[in-house]
Amino acid sequence: MAWAVLIAAGLLEIVWSVALDEAHGLTELWPSVIGIGTALLSLALLSRALRSLPMGTAYAAWVGIGAVGVAAVGTLVLGEPFTWTRAVCIGLIIAGVVGLNAEDGASPRPDRAGGEAGRAA
């Protein structure tokens, strides 16, 4: 459940990043409202996921989903240039998130009351 919440938070990070780009420095009303609203919701979902996921893994995954997603939207939708250097760097972001998850993402946070480990006791 925590991973589903975290993935949703990461996907919302893509939405708010694109919306804030379209807001042109918060000068456009609706993109600004959408950007700020989805940013707050994304942070709330990240906070919820942190109840049971290790902080380093959860934050890296949240940022990674957002970074990879925004780069993909930029290239595929907004016409930003594709380069192999950019593709390799995005691959490194993905590898880093996968590596962190393999290291400590499988175990719940036993030190957090109210997390999955706290409820099991």
Side-chain angles (χ1 to χ4, degrees):
M1 177 66 172
W3 276 103
V5 170
L6 184 63
I7 290 168
L11 293 174
L12 286 172
E13 187 178 5
I14 299 166
V15 174
W16 69 256
S17 296
V18 173
L20 289 180
D21 182 54
E22 294 296 316
H24 306 290
L26 302 179
T27 61
E28 301 289 331
L29 177 64
W30 290 113
S32 299
V33 169
I34 291 167
I36 293 168
T38 54
L40 291 173
L41 182 55
S42 179
L43 286 169
L45 291 175
L46 172 62
S47 177
R48 175 70 173 105
L50 285 171
R51 291 182 182 177
S52 48
L53 295 174
M55 180 181 58
T57 300
Y59 184 73
W62 179 68
V63 170
I65 292 166
V68 170
V70 168
V73 168
T75 301
L76 299 173
V77 178
L78 302 177
E80 293 178 359
F82 171 85
T83 66
W84 285 107
T85 302
R86 187 176 182 156
V88 167
C89 291
I90 290 169
L92 290 171
I93 293 169
I94 294 168
V97 171
V98 169
L100 280 172
N101 185 42
E103 175 67 26
D104 65 358
S107 60
R109 289 183 69 154
D111 60 331
R112 299 285 185 183
E116 291 174 10
R119 279 184 238 144

XYZ file of all heavy atoms in Angstrom:
857
model
N 0.816 -1.202 0.000
C 0.000 0.000 0.000
C 0.861 1.267 0.000
O 0.593 2.208 -0.715
C -0.938 -0.037 1.216
C -1.784 1.178 1.368
S -2.951 1.302 0.029
C -3.925 2.643 0.575
N 1.926 1.265 0.802
C 2.788 2.443 0.880
C 3.442 2.728 -0.462
O 3.601 3.893 -0.846
C 3.837 2.265 1.971
N 3.820 1.677 -1.195
C 4.438 1.892 -2.502
C 3.443 2.470 -3.500
O 3.802 3.313 -4.324
C 5.065 0.602 -3.025
C 6.442 0.424 -2.463
C 6.811 -0.413 -1.452
C 7.610 1.142 -2.840
N 8.154 -0.258 -1.190
C 8.673 0.687 -2.028
C 7.881 2.125 -3.788
C 9.972 1.177 -2.132
C 9.174 2.618 -3.904
C 10.202 2.135 -3.082
N 2.197 2.045 -3.442
C 1.179 2.610 -4.338
C 0.975 4.094 -4.047
O 0.865 4.916 -4.969
C -0.136 1.849 -4.182
N 0.958 4.451 -2.769
C 0.820 5.857 -2.370
C 2.036 6.648 -2.851
O 1.904 7.757 -3.375
C 0.638 5.967 -0.840
C 0.727 7.405 -0.365
C -0.683 5.341 -0.415
N 3.220 6.072 -2.696
C 4.441 6.749 -3.123
C 4.476 6.936 -4.639
O 4.864 8.000 -5.131
C 5.666 5.970 -2.656
C 7.004 6.629 -2.962
C 7.128 7.964 -2.242
C 8.137 5.696 -2.565
N 4.066 5.942 -5.384
C 4.026 6.067 -6.843
C 3.040 7.156 -7.254
O 3.337 7.977 -8.135
C 3.698 4.714 -7.497
C 4.896 3.767 -7.322
C 3.334 4.879 -8.968
C 4.606 2.313 -7.654
N 1.880 7.201 -6.603
C 0.912 8.269 -6.891
C 1.516 9.638 -6.592
O 1.351 10.588 -7.370
C -0.368 8.061 -6.078
N 2.247 9.744 -5.487
C 2.904 11.008 -5.139
C 3.923 11.402 -6.200
O 4.018 12.571 -6.577
C 3.582 10.885 -3.770
N 4.678 10.431 -6.697
C 5.664 10.698 -7.738
C 5.012 11.123 -9.051
O 5.505 12.025 -9.737
N 3.894 10.500 -9.392
C 3.182 10.888 -10.614
C 2.611 12.302 -10.492
O 2.630 13.073 -11.456
C 2.077 9.875 -10.927
C 2.568 8.474 -11.311
C 1.392 7.513 -11.444
C 3.403 8.501 -12.580
N 2.150 12.647 -9.294
C 1.672 14.018 -9.077
C 2.811 15.027 -9.160
O 2.591 16.179 -9.546
C 0.951 14.131 -7.731
C -0.429 13.510 -7.685
C -0.961 13.514 -6.264
C -1.379 14.228 -8.623
N 4.023 14.588 -8.835
C 5.168 15.488 -8.968
C 5.370 15.871 -10.437
O 5.726 17.014 -10.745
C 6.437 14.839 -8.401
C 7.586 15.802 -8.363
C 8.848 15.227 -7.759
O 8.900 14.030 -7.426
O 9.806 15.998 -7.638
N 5.112 14.942 -11.327
C 5.198 15.245 -12.757
C 4.157 16.302 -13.119
O 4.459 17.279 -13.814
C 4.985 13.965 -13.595
C 6.066 12.940 -13.284
C 4.948 14.300 -15.088
C 5.760 11.540 -13.789
N 2.932 16.120 -12.625
C 1.843 17.057 -12.939
C 2.182 18.457 -12.436
O 2.050 19.441 -13.173
C 0.506 16.572 -12.333
C -0.586 17.614 -12.522
C 0.092 15.241 -12.950
N 2.627 18.557 -11.175
C 2.865 19.910 -10.653
C 4.064 20.569 -11.311
O 4.068 21.779 -11.512
C 2.907 19.972 -9.137
C 4.024 19.370 -8.349
C 3.990 18.212 -7.648
C 5.323 19.939 -8.094
N 5.185 18.013 -6.997
C 6.018 19.064 -7.252
C 5.961 21.104 -8.499
C 7.306 19.293 -6.805
C 7.261 21.350 -8.066
C 7.916 20.439 -7.217
N 5.061 19.791 -11.684
C 6.214 20.383 -12.361
C 5.825 20.960 -13.720
O 6.212 22.081 -14.069
C 7.314 19.341 -12.541
O 7.790 18.915 -11.295
N 5.061 20.201 -14.476
C 4.621 20.676 -15.790
C 3.678 21.866 -15.631
O 3.777 22.860 -16.358
C 3.974 19.535 -16.592
C 3.348 20.050 -17.888
C 5.002 18.440 -16.892
N 2.765 21.802 -14.660
C 1.824 22.904 -14.442
C 2.564 24.183 -14.062
O 2.233 25.270 -14.560
C 0.809 22.532 -13.363
N 3.562 24.067 -13.197
C 4.308 25.270 -12.808
C 5.135 25.825 -13.956
O 5.326 27.046 -14.060
C 5.177 25.000 -11.585
C 4.405 24.811 -10.278
C 5.357 24.542 -9.124
C 3.519 25.995 -9.969
N 5.595 24.960 -14.850
C 6.274 25.449 -16.046
C 5.298 26.248 -16.912
O 5.639 27.311 -17.426
C 6.850 24.278 -16.840
C 7.606 24.729 -18.074
O 8.528 25.561 -17.933
O 7.276 24.255 -19.179
N 4.079 25.750 -17.017
C 3.046 26.441 -17.800
C 2.528 27.696 -17.103
O 1.912 28.552 -17.732
C 1.873 25.492 -18.083
C 2.236 24.332 -18.985
C 2.647 24.770 -20.382
O 1.972 25.649 -20.958
O 3.660 24.242 -20.896
N 2.771 27.816 -15.798
C 2.304 28.980 -15.029
C 3.168 30.211 -15.271
O 2.790 31.316 -14.865
C 2.268 28.654 -13.538
N 4.326 30.034 -15.902
C 5.212 31.149 -16.242
C 5.477 32.063 -15.039
O 5.149 33.245 -15.052
C 4.660 31.953 -17.418
C 4.370 31.123 -18.619
N 5.363 30.557 -19.389
C 3.203 30.711 -19.166
C 4.814 29.850 -20.361
N 3.514 29.926 -20.249
N 6.064 31.465 -14.010
C 6.401 32.254 -12.814
C 5.175 32.635 -12.002
O 5.141 33.724 -11.419
N 4.192 31.771 -11.967
C 2.931 31.975 -11.242
C 2.143 33.182 -11.763
O 1.371 33.790 -11.019
C 3.165 32.089 -9.731
C 3.848 30.894 -9.058
C 4.042 31.160 -7.570
C 3.070 29.611 -9.258
N 2.293 33.494 -13.023
C 1.536 34.606 -13.611
C 0.263 34.136 -14.310
O -0.582 34.965 -14.643
C 2.402 35.396 -14.616
O 2.799 34.520 -15.678
C 3.626 35.994 -13.935
N 0.131 32.845 -14.535
C -1.074 32.272 -15.140
C -1.867 31.576 -14.033
O -1.352 30.691 -13.354
C -0.706 31.263 -16.233
C 0.125 31.845 -17.361
C -0.664 32.782 -18.250
O -1.894 32.610 -18.376
O -0.046 33.704 -18.810
N -3.127 31.978 -13.854
C -3.913 31.530 -12.703
C -4.085 30.016 -12.630
O -3.690 29.393 -11.648
C -5.281 32.216 -12.675
C -6.208 31.762 -11.536
C -5.614 32.119 -10.185
C -7.594 32.341 -11.709
N -4.704 29.409 -13.631
C -5.068 28.000 -13.497
C -3.871 27.060 -13.476
O -3.852 26.122 -12.666
C -6.120 27.604 -14.535
C -7.429 28.249 -14.186
C -8.072 29.225 -14.885
C -8.202 28.022 -13.010
N -9.207 29.618 -14.217
C -9.318 28.888 -13.066
C -8.075 27.184 -11.909
C -10.289 28.929 -12.066
C -9.049 27.222 -10.920
C -10.138 28.081 -11.006
N -2.870 27.259 -14.294
C -1.689 26.400 -14.122
C -1.043 26.566 -12.740
O -0.551 25.600 -12.161
C -0.745 26.856 -15.239
C -1.645 27.430 -16.280
C -2.770 28.064 -15.517
N -1.083 27.784 -12.198
C -0.541 28.022 -10.853
C -1.345 27.267 -9.805
O -0.772 26.619 -8.919
C -0.542 29.511 -10.526
O 0.261 30.237 -11.417
N -2.656 27.343 -9.898
C -3.527 26.650 -8.942
C -3.326 25.142 -9.031
O -3.188 24.451 -8.007
C -5.009 27.029 -9.190
C -5.956 26.132 -8.399
C -5.244 28.493 -8.855
N -3.281 24.622 -10.255
C -3.071 23.183 -10.443
C -1.693 22.787 -9.920
O -1.553 21.779 -9.214
C -3.240 22.799 -11.923
C -4.703 22.951 -12.335
C -2.733 21.380 -12.183
C -4.939 22.899 -13.829
N -0.675 23.571 -10.232
C 0.680 23.257 -9.784
C 0.808 23.249 -8.274
O 1.349 22.307 -7.690
N 0.314 24.276 -7.630
C 0.421 24.366 -6.168
C -0.438 23.293 -5.499
O -0.004 22.638 -4.543
C 0.054 25.780 -5.687
C 1.116 26.777 -6.167
C -0.095 25.824 -4.172
C 0.732 28.235 -6.007
N -1.633 23.087 -6.013
C -2.526 22.074 -5.431
C -1.963 20.665 -5.536
O -1.973 19.905 -4.559
N -1.449 20.314 -6.720
C -0.899 18.969 -6.865
C 0.423 18.816 -6.107
O 0.738 17.721 -5.640
C -0.726 18.580 -8.348
O 0.040 19.572 -9.019
C -2.062 18.389 -9.035
N 1.175 19.898 -5.960
C 2.400 19.832 -5.155
C 2.060 19.510 -3.704
O 2.708 18.667 -3.073
C 3.178 21.141 -5.252
N 1.058 20.181 -3.176
C 0.647 19.915 -1.791
C 0.138 18.484 -1.624
O 0.465 17.811 -0.640
C -0.418 20.921 -1.355
C 0.081 22.357 -1.183
C -1.100 23.305 -0.925
C 1.101 22.443 -0.067
N -0.649 18.025 -2.585
C -1.154 16.653 -2.513
C -0.008 15.649 -2.638
O 0.033 14.645 -1.918
C -2.205 16.416 -3.600
C -2.861 15.046 -3.626
C -3.496 14.694 -2.281
C -3.901 14.992 -4.743
N 0.947 15.927 -3.512
C 2.100 15.050 -3.670
C 2.901 14.958 -2.367
O 3.292 13.865 -1.944
C 2.989 15.574 -4.801
O 4.118 14.761 -4.968
N 3.116 16.098 -1.724
C 3.828 16.099 -0.437
C 3.055 15.347 0.639
O 3.648 14.632 1.456
C 4.107 17.524 0.010
C 5.219 18.240 -0.745
C 5.221 19.728 -0.398
C 6.558 17.622 -0.430
N 1.740 15.507 0.650
C 0.919 14.790 1.636
C 1.022 13.283 1.423
O 1.135 12.510 2.393
C -0.532 15.252 1.545
N 0.994 12.852 0.175
C 1.107 11.422 -0.108
C 2.507 10.903 0.228
O 2.647 9.799 0.759
C 0.759 11.137 -1.568
C -0.703 11.334 -1.948
C -0.895 11.148 -3.456
C -1.612 10.396 -1.172
N 3.529 11.690 -0.067
C 4.887 11.302 0.327
C 4.963 11.139 1.845
O 5.508 10.158 2.351
C 5.905 12.340 -0.142
C 7.335 12.149 0.369
C 7.926 10.833 -0.121
C 8.203 13.329 -0.036
N 4.389 12.084 2.562
C 4.389 12.018 4.022
C 3.699 10.747 4.513
O 4.158 10.090 5.446
C 3.692 13.255 4.591
O 3.624 13.184 5.985
N 2.610 10.383 3.858
C 1.873 9.159 4.230
C 2.737 7.931 3.982
O 2.805 7.023 4.808
C 0.563 9.094 3.431
C -0.227 7.838 3.617
C -0.824 7.790 5.019
N -1.705 6.677 5.155
C -1.415 5.561 5.822
N -0.253 5.441 6.416
N -2.272 4.592 5.913
N 3.416 7.893 2.834
C 4.258 6.739 2.505
C 5.431 6.616 3.474
O 5.874 5.506 3.782
C 4.757 6.855 1.073
N 5.925 7.755 3.979
C 7.064 7.726 4.903
C 6.723 7.091 6.245
O 7.622 6.787 7.024
C 7.597 9.147 5.124
C 8.409 9.721 3.969
C 8.698 11.200 4.213
C 9.689 8.936 3.769
N 5.464 6.878 6.505
C 5.097 6.189 7.750
C 5.623 4.768 7.791
O 5.864 4.231 8.863
C 3.578 6.160 7.917
C 2.964 7.494 8.193
C 1.480 7.337 8.389
N 0.828 8.620 8.606
C -0.473 8.762 8.737
N -1.270 7.704 8.681
N -0.984 9.946 8.936
N 5.777 4.158 6.605
C 6.199 2.765 6.614
C 7.367 2.447 5.692
O 7.872 1.339 5.735
C 5.020 1.847 6.285
O 4.325 2.285 5.170
N 7.823 3.382 4.898
C 8.977 3.143 4.034
C 10.194 3.886 4.569
O 10.050 4.966 5.150
C 8.680 3.618 2.605
C 7.592 2.881 1.859
C 7.316 3.553 0.524
C 7.963 1.421 1.659
N 11.388 3.352 4.352
C 12.602 4.068 4.761
C 12.692 5.416 4.043
O 12.411 5.515 2.838
C 13.735 3.144 4.320
C 13.112 1.795 4.196
C 11.697 2.033 3.785
N 13.078 6.445 4.777
C 13.078 7.804 4.241
C 13.948 7.947 2.990
O 13.514 8.528 1.994
C 13.557 8.794 5.307
C 13.581 10.227 4.814
S 14.157 11.408 6.029
C 15.774 10.797 6.412
N 15.163 7.451 3.027
C 16.051 7.598 1.883
C 15.504 6.941 0.630
O 15.564 7.495 -0.466
N 14.964 5.762 0.782
C 14.393 5.042 -0.352
C 13.153 5.734 -0.877
O 12.997 5.933 -2.086
C 14.049 3.590 0.059
O 15.245 2.953 0.493
C 13.437 2.820 -1.091
N 12.265 6.120 0.025
C 11.012 6.753 -0.392
C 11.269 8.087 -1.086
O 10.699 8.371 -2.141
C 10.095 6.954 0.815
N 12.150 8.899 -0.515
C 12.424 10.202 -1.110
C 13.094 10.045 -2.470
O 12.751 10.728 -3.432
C 13.284 11.057 -0.179
C 13.503 12.440 -0.714
C 12.482 13.384 -0.705
C 14.724 12.797 -1.275
C 12.673 14.655 -1.225
C 14.921 14.060 -1.794
C 13.891 14.982 -1.767
O 14.080 16.227 -2.293
N 14.056 9.127 -2.560
C 14.735 8.896 -3.834
C 13.753 8.405 -4.896
O 13.813 8.831 -6.050
C 15.870 7.895 -3.653
N 12.847 7.529 -4.517
C 11.858 7.027 -5.473
C 10.917 8.148 -5.904
O 10.606 8.294 -7.094
C 11.070 5.873 -4.859
N 10.474 8.971 -4.955
C 9.565 10.092 -5.262
C 10.230 11.061 -6.236
O 9.648 11.430 -7.260
C 9.193 10.781 -3.947
C 8.300 11.958 -4.047
C 6.983 11.972 -4.423
C 8.625 13.313 -3.708
N 6.486 13.253 -4.344
C 7.475 14.093 -3.905
C 9.784 13.934 -3.245
C 7.450 15.465 -3.662
C 9.746 15.305 -3.000
C 8.594 16.045 -3.217
N 11.440 11.458 -5.923
C 12.176 12.373 -6.792
C 12.488 11.700 -8.134
O 12.378 12.330 -9.192
C 13.473 12.856 -6.110
C 14.358 13.609 -7.079
C 13.140 13.719 -4.909
N 12.863 10.426 -8.091
C 13.189 9.707 -9.317
C 12.008 9.593 -10.258
O 12.139 9.817 -11.469
N 10.836 9.255 -9.717
C 9.631 9.177 -10.540
C 9.363 10.534 -11.171
O 9.081 10.646 -12.364
C 8.419 8.707 -9.712
C 8.587 7.251 -9.288
C 7.110 8.884 -10.506
C 7.617 6.815 -8.205
N 9.483 11.577 -10.358
C 9.244 12.924 -10.880
C 10.262 13.330 -11.923
O 9.912 13.840 -12.990
N 11.540 13.087 -11.653
C 12.596 13.503 -12.579
C 12.501 12.761 -13.909
O 12.570 13.368 -14.984
C 13.968 13.269 -11.945
N 12.325 11.460 -13.844
C 12.216 10.667 -15.066
C 10.940 11.036 -15.816
O 10.948 11.202 -17.038
C 12.278 9.159 -14.744
C 11.928 8.315 -15.953
C 13.657 8.799 -14.206
N 9.850 11.196 -15.083
C 8.581 11.552 -15.721
C 8.606 12.918 -16.382
O 8.134 13.088 -17.507
N 9.181 13.897 -15.691
C 9.258 15.250 -16.265
C 10.178 15.249 -17.484
O 9.881 15.896 -18.496
C 9.713 16.273 -15.199
C 10.071 17.598 -15.834
C 8.621 16.465 -14.161
N 11.278 14.517 -17.415
C 12.171 14.433 -18.575
C 11.457 13.775 -19.756
O 11.592 14.224 -20.899
C 13.432 13.658 -18.211
N 10.678 12.739 -19.478
C 9.929 12.063 -20.552
C 8.879 12.988 -21.151
O 8.754 13.085 -22.376
C 9.288 10.782 -20.020
N 8.121 13.674 -20.301
C 7.108 14.614 -20.795
C 7.779 15.727 -21.590
O 7.294 16.119 -22.665
C 6.269 15.190 -19.633
C 5.427 16.372 -20.087
C 5.379 14.107 -19.034
N 8.889 16.223 -21.080
C 9.607 17.278 -21.787
C 10.031 16.848 -23.178
O 9.887 17.595 -24.151
N 10.533 15.635 -23.280
C 11.009 15.143 -24.568
C 9.859 14.735 -25.488
O 9.823 15.120 -26.652
C 11.959 13.944 -24.369
O 13.050 14.368 -23.559
C 12.480 13.423 -25.690
N 8.902 13.969 -24.961
C 7.847 13.397 -25.801
C 6.706 14.363 -26.105
O 6.076 14.259 -27.152
C 7.287 12.131 -25.144
C 8.293 11.003 -24.927
C 7.673 9.882 -24.117
C 8.821 10.496 -26.261
N 6.428 15.292 -25.183
C 5.264 16.164 -25.346
C 5.668 17.607 -25.638
O 5.093 18.254 -26.510
C 4.362 16.106 -24.092
C 3.175 17.034 -24.215
C 3.895 14.680 -23.831
N 6.653 18.117 -24.917
C 6.992 19.527 -25.018
C 8.103 19.828 -26.026
O 8.480 20.980 -26.196
C 7.378 20.070 -23.637
C 6.291 19.918 -22.561
C 6.800 20.413 -21.226
C 5.022 20.650 -22.969
N 8.625 18.801 -26.673
C 9.599 19.014 -27.732
C 11.007 19.333 -27.277
O 11.805 19.861 -28.063
N 11.349 19.010 -26.027
C 12.729 19.196 -25.590
C 13.616 18.184 -26.320
O 13.162 17.100 -26.679
C 12.837 19.021 -24.070
C 12.113 20.110 -23.306
C 12.181 19.925 -21.793
O 12.785 18.940 -21.323
O 11.620 20.773 -21.093
N 14.875 18.527 -26.540
C 15.724 17.639 -27.348
C 16.060 16.330 -26.636
O 16.251 16.300 -25.425
C 16.994 18.464 -27.569
C 17.015 19.444 -26.452
C 15.577 19.732 -26.125
N 16.115 15.261 -27.418
C 16.577 13.969 -26.927
C 18.070 13.874 -27.211
O 18.517 14.153 -28.319
C 15.856 12.823 -27.638
C 16.447 11.480 -27.312
C 16.042 10.810 -26.181
C 17.428 10.919 -28.110
C 16.598 9.569 -25.853
C 17.987 9.695 -27.801
C 17.568 9.015 -26.671
N 18.830 13.497 -26.206
C 20.248 13.199 -26.412
C 20.561 11.894 -25.693
O 19.890 11.526 -24.720
C 21.166 14.314 -25.852
O 21.029 14.352 -24.423
C 20.828 15.678 -26.448
N 21.582 11.217 -26.164
C 21.971 9.972 -25.512
C 22.529 10.232 -24.115
O 22.340 9.425 -23.208
C 22.957 9.196 -26.374
C 22.232 8.552 -27.522
C 22.279 8.921 -28.837
C 21.312 7.469 -27.445
N 21.445 8.129 -29.580
C 20.833 7.222 -28.739
C 20.833 6.674 -26.406
C 19.911 6.223 -29.035
C 19.914 5.676 -26.693
C 19.463 5.462 -27.991
N 23.181 11.335 -23.935
C 23.676 11.688 -22.595
C 22.517 11.810 -21.622
O 22.572 11.280 -20.503
C 24.467 13.008 -22.647
O 25.536 12.868 -23.573
C 24.995 13.384 -21.277
N 21.486 12.499 -22.058
C 20.287 12.644 -21.218
C 19.658 11.290 -20.918
O 19.275 11.011 -19.780
C 19.303 13.552 -21.949
C 18.102 13.935 -21.180
C 17.269 14.911 -22.000
N 16.114 15.312 -21.226
C 15.459 16.421 -21.414
N 15.817 17.258 -22.352
N 14.425 16.713 -20.669
N 19.571 10.434 -21.928
C 18.984 9.104 -21.745
C 19.798 8.270 -20.758
O 19.235 7.592 -19.888
C 18.867 8.386 -23.087
N 21.118 8.328 -20.863
C 21.977 7.572 -19.944
C 21.809 8.095 -18.522
O 21.712 7.312 -17.565
C 23.455 7.632 -20.397
C 24.392 7.127 -19.307
C 23.639 6.838 -21.681
N 21.750 9.400 -18.360
C 21.588 9.979 -17.019
C 20.241 9.600 -16.408
O 20.155 9.308 -15.213
C 21.760 11.487 -17.075
S 23.469 11.975 -17.421
N 19.201 9.585 -17.210
C 17.888 9.139 -16.723
C 17.964 7.665 -16.313
O 17.413 7.267 -15.284
C 16.807 9.395 -17.781
C 16.561 10.906 -17.901
C 15.515 8.659 -17.444
C 15.711 11.302 -19.085
N 18.667 6.868 -17.102
C 18.871 5.467 -16.735
C 19.611 5.320 -15.412
O 19.304 4.432 -14.608
N 20.558 6.201 -15.162
C 21.288 6.168 -13.886
C 20.372 6.522 -12.713
O 20.503 5.953 -11.622
C 22.491 7.109 -13.935
C 23.637 6.667 -14.849
C 24.673 7.776 -14.988
C 24.270 5.392 -14.322
N 19.457 7.456 -12.932
C 18.479 7.786 -11.883
C 17.646 6.555 -11.560
O 17.449 6.202 -10.385
C 17.582 8.966 -12.302
C 18.407 10.254 -12.391
C 16.404 9.129 -11.337
C 17.669 11.406 -13.041
N 17.161 5.894 -12.597
C 16.344 4.686 -12.391
C 17.161 3.613 -11.675
O 16.676 2.982 -10.720
C 15.800 4.174 -13.736
C 14.806 5.189 -14.316
C 15.146 2.803 -13.576
C 14.424 4.937 -15.764
N 18.405 3.414 -12.098
C 19.262 2.411 -11.453
C 19.501 2.748 -9.986
O 19.502 1.855 -9.130
C 20.601 2.315 -12.197
N 19.667 4.024 -9.681
C 19.864 4.428 -8.291
C 18.658 4.140 -7.422
O 18.784 3.637 -6.297
N 17.469 4.428 -7.931
C 16.247 4.156 -7.167
C 16.067 2.655 -6.968
O 15.749 2.191 -5.868
C 15.021 4.782 -7.864
C 13.727 4.316 -7.218
C 15.116 6.300 -7.836
N 16.289 1.881 -8.029
C 16.178 0.424 -7.911
C 17.211 -0.103 -6.917
O 16.899 -0.954 -6.075
C 16.340 -0.243 -9.298
C 16.487 -1.752 -9.174
C 15.151 0.097 -10.188
N 18.424 0.423 -6.981
C 19.466 -0.015 -6.048
C 19.131 0.296 -4.608
O 19.329 -0.538 -3.723
N 18.609 1.486 -4.342
C 18.210 1.825 -2.976
C 17.080 0.925 -2.498
O 17.065 0.492 -1.348
C 17.759 3.281 -2.896
C 18.866 4.313 -2.827
C 18.283 5.714 -2.942
C 19.637 4.179 -1.528
N 16.145 0.636 -3.381
C 15.039 -0.240 -3.011
C 15.536 -1.643 -2.707
O 15.090 -2.280 -1.751
C 13.982 -0.272 -4.109
C 12.770 -1.065 -3.692
O 12.317 -0.960 -2.562
N 12.259 -1.858 -4.592
N 16.478 -2.125 -3.486
C 17.020 -3.458 -3.233
C 17.774 -3.498 -1.907
O 17.761 -4.510 -1.205
C 17.948 -3.862 -4.372
N 18.405 -2.383 -1.557
C 19.186 -2.316 -0.323
C 18.306 -2.310 0.922
O 18.495 -3.074 1.840
C 20.076 -1.064 -0.339
C 20.847 -0.812 0.931
C 21.903 -1.868 1.201
O 22.391 -2.491 0.247
O 22.223 -2.060 2.380
N 17.308 -1.402 0.958
C 16.539 -1.295 2.206
C 15.049 -1.069 2.005
O 14.326 -0.933 2.972
C 17.098 -0.197 3.088
C 16.961 1.190 2.493
O 16.459 1.325 1.381
O 17.372 2.140 3.166
N 14.579 -1.050 0.785
C 13.178 -0.744 0.545
C 12.213 -1.867 0.866
O 11.015 -1.642 1.007
N 12.703 -3.068 0.984
C 11.809 -4.185 1.222
C 11.381 -4.294 2.681
O 10.374 -4.912 2.987
C 12.479 -5.487 0.793
N 12.124 -3.692 3.582
C 11.783 -3.817 4.995
C 11.031 -2.584 5.475
O 11.374 -1.464 5.125
C 13.052 -4.010 5.826
O 13.905 -2.911 5.655
N 9.974 -2.787 6.289
C 9.241 -1.635 6.815
C 10.067 -0.891 7.855
O 11.073 -1.389 8.344
C 7.998 -2.266 7.451
C 8.397 -3.666 7.755
C 9.428 -4.055 6.727
N 9.623 0.296 8.191
C 10.320 1.113 9.190
C 9.862 0.689 10.585
O 8.788 1.057 11.020
C 10.002 2.576 8.977
C 10.644 3.131 7.738
C 10.349 4.576 7.618
N 11.062 5.291 8.659
C 11.426 6.550 8.551
N 11.141 7.233 7.487
N 12.059 7.140 9.532
N 10.666 -0.039 11.312
C 10.247 -0.490 12.637
C 10.245 0.631 13.667
O 9.645 0.497 14.712
C 11.279 -1.556 12.991
C 12.491 -1.182 12.213
C 11.975 -0.544 10.942
N 10.896 1.757 13.372
C 11.019 2.829 14.348
C 9.859 3.811 14.311
O 9.855 4.781 15.046
C 12.333 3.574 14.131
C 12.417 4.200 12.748
O 11.797 3.665 11.802
O 13.117 5.222 12.616
N 8.871 3.593 13.484
C 7.768 4.542 13.341
C 6.480 3.953 13.901
O 5.948 2.997 13.375
C 7.536 4.894 11.880
C 8.717 5.539 11.217
C 8.825 6.947 11.692
N 9.907 7.578 10.936
C 10.305 8.791 11.151
N 9.749 9.533 12.061
N 11.280 9.302 10.441
N 5.991 4.502 14.970
C 4.681 4.106 15.473
C 3.644 4.542 14.458
O 3.712 5.617 13.905
C 4.407 4.772 16.813
N 2.697 3.704 14.195
C 1.668 4.023 13.238
C 1.998 3.516 11.849
O 1.158 3.493 10.977
N 3.235 3.091 11.610
C 3.603 2.497 10.329
C 3.124 1.065 10.286
O 2.521 0.546 11.220
N 3.402 0.387 9.176
C 2.965 -1.000 9.042
C 3.557 -1.872 10.121
O 2.893 -2.732 10.676
C 3.337 -1.522 7.662
C 2.531 -0.859 6.570
C 2.985 -1.267 5.182
O 3.811 -2.213 5.077
O 2.526 -0.662 4.219
N 4.827 -1.653 10.477
C 5.461 -2.452 11.518
C 4.821 -2.148 12.871
O 4.631 -3.043 13.686
C 6.958 -2.180 11.565
N 4.481 -0.877 13.109
C 3.865 -0.498 14.366
C 2.488 -1.082 14.546
O 2.067 -1.418 15.632
N 1.741 -1.234 13.458
C 0.404 -1.810 13.532
C 0.425 -3.295 13.744
O -0.497 -3.861 14.278
C -0.371 -1.488 12.248
C -0.932 -0.093 12.300
C -1.775 0.166 11.089
N -1.132 1.327 10.483
C -1.006 1.545 9.213
N -1.490 0.709 8.352
N -0.414 2.615 8.767
N 1.497 -3.946 13.283
C 1.565 -5.413 13.407
C 1.798 -5.813 14.851
O 1.451 -6.908 15.254
C 2.690 -5.944 12.520
N 2.383 -4.947 15.648
C 2.709 -5.300 17.032
C 1.522 -5.174 17.937
O 0.589 -4.483 17.749
C 3.831 -4.406 17.542
